[in-house]
Every structure is written in structure tokens, then in C-alpha cells.
Amino acid sequence: MFTSSDSGLPKNIVVTDNGAIRYYWRRGFQAFFMTLFGVMLLWAAYYFWSPDFVPEFLICSLPLFWIPGVVLAYFGVRQAVNYTELRVDGGELLIQHKPIPWRGNKSIAMTDFEKFFVGVRRNDQTLTCDILAITKKGERIMILSNVGPEIAEA
């Protein structure tokens, strides 16, 4: 596997031995999500292990803490470990999000593409880019979203 330092690519892009390109999603907020999840699960664990000490009004609100905790944990772990793999195989571009399941896996024939381009979005403090494609039918397809400008330039 080629690392980003071997090729001059940004740190979160890796080219595998089979020619696939991996874009690692790692964002800065996963620690926040994990911490919030931990606090919510601790509260739930407190309820399950010592129900005699929990006030009655908190017992009814358990789902209000635990369910968002599980959802936030899923998003936090997904942001921490997932990557998008782009691979050309048999004349098709395969876009897969791994190892934690996420929507957006696609397989598109290379002959269907008319052009690739970078869409730029700017807000007050950040600049983000999306790598997009236009098919011959005029359909817009997101290849990678919310990448930094250094990745779009690569």
C-alpha cells in the first residue's frame, strides 16, 4: 500500500496495491460525539444497575438519552474509522464506503461519464470541495463530498 508521504498526496488519501484510492473521513468532531455517547450510556448504565437510586422522573426519560446516544455513537465511530474507496474494475467506477455501512455505495460504467469537476463551497471560515461527475444523460453524481481544497487539487 502506498502512503500519502510516498506520493505527495494529503495524509487522508492512500493508494492501495490494487490501485484503489482510499479517502479517510476522519473529522475533528468524533471525540465530541464519543464523549457525549459515553455520558449518555453511563447515565443509562446507572439506571440499569441501581434503579433504586434514580428519581422517577428520570426513568421515563431513559429513551430520550439512550437512543440519541446510540445514534451519535454510530456517527462518531463512522467519522473516526470510515473511508471511501474509489476503484475502477471491469470498466466501472466503484464507490464504496467501508468498514461501517453507510449510504452512497455506487457502481457506474466509465463510459457513462462525460466529465469530472470540483465544486467549491465557501463559508465564513472554511473552504470545502466536492468531487463530482456529470454523466452523458446530464445527471450529477457525487464522487467525494466535503473534502479539503488540498485533496481536490490532488
Side-chain angles (χ1 to χ4, degrees), residues 67-132:
I67 292 171
V70 170
V71 170
L72 288 174
Y74 181 83
F75 282 98
V77 170
R78 176 190 60 104
Q79 287 293 99
V81 301
N82 257 24
Y83 58 87
T84 298
E85 185 172 273
L86 305 174
R87 184 169 25 105
V88 176
D89 188 23
E92 291 187 327
L93 174 65
L94 301 173
I95 304 168
Q96 297 176 318
H97 307 295
K98 301 175 180 180
I100 295 175
W102 191 245
R103 61 184 162 76
N105 292 343
K106 297 176 183 136
S107 176
I108 307 153
M110 292 299 291
T111 56
D112 289 346
F113 291 115
E114 186 169 310
K115 68 179 179 177
F116 292 89
F117 65 98
V118 176
V120 178
R121 290 179 281 142
R122 181 186 304 269
N123 67 19
D124 293 340
Q125 299 174 0
T126 60
L127 176 73
T128 58
C129 301
D130 299 325
I131 299 174
L132 302 142

Side-chain angles (χ1 to χ4, degrees), residues 5-20:
S5 61
D6 297 335
S7 61
L9 293 171
K11 290 188 301 189
N12 57 343
I13 292 184
V14 174
V15 179
T16 65
D17 292 333
N18 66 358

Side-chain angles (χ1 to χ4, degrees), residues 13-71:
I13 292 184
V14 174
V15 179
T16 65
D17 292 333
N18 66 358
I21 298 170
R22 288 184 181 171
Y23 168 66
Y24 287 87
W25 297 10
R26 295 185 181 109
R27 307 268 201 279
F29 288 108
Q30 67 262 22
F32 170 75
F33 287 125
M34 294 304 289
T35 303
L36 187 58
F37 171 71
V39 169
M40 289 180 178
L41 279 186
L42 284 174
W43 185 89
Y46 176 75
Y47 167 74
F48 285 118
W49 290 106
S50 58
D52 297 334
F53 301 110
V54 177
E56 286 183 26
F57 74 93
L58 289 179
I59 292 172
C60 298
S61 65
L62 176 65
L64 297 176
F65 287 92
W66 191 79
I67 292 171
V70 170
V71 170

